Amino acid sequence: MKKGDKNNSKNKDEALVGVLRNNGYKVTQGRISILEVFSKYHIPLNAESVSGYLKNKRVDVATIYRTLKSFEEKGILRRVDLRNDSVCFEMNDSHHHHHLVCKKCGDIEDVDVCEIDRLSKIALKNSLKFKLIIDHSLEFFGVCKTCNKV
Ligand SMILES: [Zn+2]
Ligand SMILES: [Zn+2]
Ligand SMILES: [Zn+2]
């Protein structure tokens, strides 16, 4: 961390350092930089796009891959399935939400409403084998307003 950094970004870094320490990580600039990207851009990102944001930080893609996987295992990141070839992740904070994804340009928007609990109950009621639903994922795929104009 540079001394000249603004106060709020310093506080943010300290919070991220806390996240790493609480999960038993050694605090490295690479890990901090990766977490910074996720806390700054609140959209699902794959290793390549993280790498794009870290161009000047000299963190190689292989390290990013490994780090993302490890962060997922610790529950710092959660995996989001956007039906593309690469695995996307986002911060695993308490903010439960889903995503709208543009099939044409890949733009992503959060969907904050979730009516799945009701549906989960119906699914369980009709299930022969299952006792409990502990999580769900749901993403919507469509066309954004910008792409729809063309
Ligand atoms: Zn999200
Ligand atoms: Zn679009
Ligand atoms: Zn939900």
Side-chain angles (χ1 to χ4, degrees):
M1 274 164 267
K2 274 170 267 145
K3 269 184 187 159
D5 279 357
K6 276 187 228 140
N7 257 334
N8 56 352
S9 88
K10 198 175 159 226
N11 290 339
K12 205 164 185 186
D13 273 358
E14 273 162 20
L16 298 178
V17 166
V19 169
L20 289 175
R21 293 224 169 102
N22 292 339
N23 284 282
Y25 284 108
K26 231 178 84 190
V27 178
T28 63
Q29 191 55 57
R31 288 183 180 134
I32 287 287
S33 305
I34 291 170
L35 279 187
E36 269 173 356
V37 171
F38 281 100
S39 76
K40 185 170 176 195
Y41 304 95
H42 294 273
I43 52 163
L45 298 167
N46 60 21
E48 287 77 18
S49 35
V50 173
S51 158
Y53 289 121
L54 295 180
K55 258 189 291 210
N56 312 318
K57 305 251 170 137
R58 295 187 195 166
V59 192
D60 62 280
V61 186
T63 306
I64 296 173
Y65 269 113
R66 256 185 289 117
T67 308
L68 298 189
K69 189 93 195 67
S70 165
F71 281 173
E72 185 198 9
E73 280 159 17
K74 296 274 187 183
I76 299 172
L77 297 178
R78 72 172 153 244
R79 186 185 285 246
V80 185
D81 181 8
L82 298 181
R83 287 195 195 163
N84 44 21
D85 297 332
S86 54
V87 183
C88 291
F89 298 94
E90 67 181 1
M91 274 305 222
N92 191 16
D93 48 26
S94 52
H95 170 218
H96 180 86
H97 64 281
H98 300 274
H99 303 100
L100 275 163
V101 184
C102 179
K103 294 283 274 180
K104 294 196 171 169
C105 69
D107 201 8
I108 301 170
E109 191 180 340
D110 282 355
V111 181
D112 286 316
V113 286
C114 179
E115 302 266 332
I116 306 282
D117 280 348
R118 216 165 45 87
L119 201 57
S120 299
K121 287 194 184 99
I122 299 171
L124 267 187
K125 218 173 142 190
N126 288 293
S127 164
L128 299 174
K129 295 183 179 175
F130 284 82
K131 178 80 190 140
L132 204 62
I133 290 173
I134 51 175
D135 197 9
H136 61 260
S137 67
L138 171 71
E139 324 301 339
F140 302 91
F141 299 88
V143 180
C144 76
K145 287 179 182 167
T146 308
C147 292
N148 198 41
K149 273 186 211 147
V150 187

